[in-house]
Amino acid sequence: MSRKLIFSSESVTEGHPDKIADQISDAVLDAMLKDDPDSRVACETFVTTGMILIGGEISTDTYVNLNHLAREVAKDIGYVHPDMGFYYKDITVLNVIHEQSVDIAQGVVKPTPEEQGAGDQGIMFGYAIDHTETLMPVPITLAHGLTKGMAELRKSKKIEYLRPDGKSQVAMKYEDGKPIEAVKIVIAAQHEEGVSQEKIKEDLTEYLIKPVLGEYYSDNTEVIVNGTGKFVIGGPHGDAGLTGRKIIVDTYGGAGYHGGGAFSGKDPSKVDRSGSYVARYIAKNIVDAGYASEVNVQIAYSIGVPEPFSFYVDTKGTGTIPDEEIEKKVLKEIDLRPGLIIERLNLKRPIYRSTATYGHFGREDLDVSWEKRDLF
């Protein structure tokens, strides 16, 4: 008897308040790493009507004009109209950054990468599955395709009434573990005043939903657009935003496990970021090598200690060899001490703002080392 289920994942556009915060935090990180690759950055951003608050701990030898940087991010996203309640020229930027704790620094700043301890304790997960070319789950892949496509339609002016904020959600039907069809699609699309919801639904179905879903779209697919009946007030004017509140959007859409740590605004000495990246790298390479069709990888760390607290591989019964053997193969090929992960994946580069939207994983459109297939 076949097992049927429906699994959903969501994504948000670059103009969503939480994603604005993520992009500003990662823009700060990139600006620091560009001139000082050894910068220690833990940058948090809060956005609301007419205001950006940047806080956290930073130790660096460079200077960045945070006021100008934050405004430029808002401008690039599309907050360029005074009536949006979040207009890049008029935003008040508050800076409450201070230096990294010396108690943390003494465990992280070491003479060699081999000695560098983890910047915090925590558990990190990586996941991969063979349902897409990028070895990512289908629902989150499609959800990101919808939000990214919405932004492209807005920026190209193919749909001129769209504004920066938006969300998507995809409910995928599975049979015997395989994705069959999208049964429901939810789109929240911020728009100008005076546009009918019928037109918005018609345009987005034609120019966005059908092209992105492809074979997974059918006449049975239910499409819900702007379920409240209107979405004019949006962005930070409609809802406050904060760095790190979209960790499931950033990863696997709920299909893989998550240790709870966010990525944006953190330099790679923070294992929330580097540990999660290397876990994805390992998981992707396990599936790519044919050792499993689906896998979860967990790595755990203790603050100030280089060696992982624990490491395990779970192929969910899909392994072609025992999971213990896969663990041994992985540890033979890669050293999981944070300093050596940073070296291997070349993480001290200003590459992070581009990861702050539309997912950190499956991003073969970006120059990110954790998506390479070169472990085995």
Side-chain angles (χ1 to χ4, degrees):
M1 182 174 167
S2 65
R3 169 77 166 102
K4 297 181 181 180
L5 61 89
I6 295 173
F7 186 86
S8 299
S9 294
E10 70 159 348
S11 177
V12 299
T13 65
E14 60 210 64
H16 184 280
D18 294 331
K19 275 294 150 203
I20 299 169
D22 284 343
Q23 288 169 88
I24 292 171
S25 292
D26 273 338
V28 172
L29 173 62
D30 282 353
M32 301 290 180
L33 293 177
K34 179 176 177 291
D35 293 330
D36 178 10
D38 292 320
S39 296
R40 302 292 186 210
V41 180
C43 177
E44 310 290 346
T45 304
F46 169 75
V47 299
T48 188
T49 303
M51 191 192 84
I52 297 171
L53 173 65
I54 303 174
E57 304 79 46
I58 294 178
S59 298
T60 186
D61 288 333
T62 190
Y63 168 77
V64 175
N65 185 332
L66 297 183
N67 191 306
H68 175 75
L69 183 65
R71 291 173 187 272
E72 285 300 302
V73 172
K75 179 183 177 182
D76 290 346
I77 293 169
Y79 286 96
V80 294
H81 299 291
D83 64 344
M84 287 184 172
F86 192 74
Y87 176 41
Y88 81 98
K89 287 185 178 180
D90 293 340
I91 295 168
T92 298
V93 181
L94 303 178
N95 172 9
V96 290
I97 293 287
H98 60 90
E99 232 182 345
Q100 184 187 52
S101 162
V102 294
D103 294 345
I104 295 175
Q106 69 179 356
V108 176
V109 181
K110 297 291 185 179
T112 67
E114 290 82 359
E115 298 172 83
Q116 179 178 325
D120 202 352
Q121 72 174 54
I123 54 175
M124 297 85 214
F125 288 95
Y127 178 77
I129 191 167
D130 65 357
H131 288 174
T132 62
E133 290 184 5
T134 59
L135 306 185
M136 287 287 287
V138 171
I140 189 65
T141 300
L142 295 178
H144 285 322
L146 291 169
T147 51
K148 189 174 184 181
M150 216 185 317
E152 289 168 353
L153 288 168
R154 169 176 60 87
K155 290 178 175 180
S156 69
K157 299 190 184 302
K158 188 161 188 178
I159 301 182
E160 294 192 14
Y161 54 77
L162 290 177
R163 285 192 164 179
D165 199 357
K167 285 185 171 184
S168 70
Q169 193 161 291
V170 176
M172 179 65 56
K173 179 182 177 182
Y174 286 77
E175 290 187 6
D176 293 327
K178 300 296 182 183
I180 304 299
E181 66 174 342
V183 294
K184 287 186 181 181
I185 303 296
V186 177
I187 297 288
Q190 189 189 14
H191 57 88
E192 294 177 358
E193 191 73 72
V195 186
S196 72
Q197 298 305 311
E198 291 76 15
K199 177 168 178 54
I200 296 171
K201 182 175 181 178
E202 180 181 315
D203 287 347
L204 291 181
T205 300
E206 183 67 22
Y207 298 116
L208 178 70
I209 296 170
K210 287 182 178 179
V212 169
L213 265 59
E215 63 181 301
Y216 294 113
Y217 182 86
S218 74
D219 292 339
N220 298 321
T221 303
E222 181 183 353
V223 176
I224 301 169
V225 174
N226 293 343
T228 68
K230 188 177 182 181
F231 187 14
V232 172
I233 300 171
H237 186 45
D239 190 13
L242 191 66
T243 300
R245 275 206 304 212
K246 287 292 175 283
I247 59 175
I248 300 303
V249 171
D250 284 343
T251 52
Y252 308 102
Y257 302 132
H258 199 296
F263 303 150
S264 291
K266 297 177 181 177
D267 76 81
S269 73
K270 279 70 175 175
V271 284
D272 280 337
R273 182 158 226 156
S274 52
S276 296
Y277 286 174
V278 80
R280 161 62 181 175
Y281 173 66
I282 291 167
K284 185 173 184 177
N285 277 272
I286 288 170
V287 173
D288 186 66
Y291 295 135
S293 57
E294 181 181 12
V295 65
N296 271 300
V297 172
Q298 186 201 59
I299 312 172
Y301 290 94
S302 175
I303 190 167
V305 180
E307 291 76 15
F309 189 79
S310 64
F311 171 74
Y312 94 103
V313 168
D314 176 15
T315 62
K316 295 178 170 286
T318 70
T320 56
I321 60 175
D323 290 357
E324 294 85 351
E325 291 300 312
I326 299 174
E327 290 173 0
K328 290 177 183 176
K329 285 180 177 292
V330 169
L331 295 176
K332 182 180 177 182
E333 297 296 332
I334 189 167
D335 194 313
L336 295 177
R337 286 176 285 180
L340 296 176
I341 292 171
I342 291 167
E343 278 196 342
R344 177 160 189 150
L345 298 183
N346 194 15
L347 296 180
K348 291 185 177 182
R349 297 180 293 148
I351 57 173
Y352 296 108
R353 182 181 164 189
S354 60
T355 68
T357 50
Y358 313 119
H360 292 246
F361 305 129
R363 298 300 301 276
E364 296 182 352
D365 57 318
L366 303 177
D367 178 27
V368 292
S369 52
W370 55 90
E371 290 298 321
K372 291 183 177 179
R373 307 170 189 237
D374 59 1
L375 179 59
F376 301 112

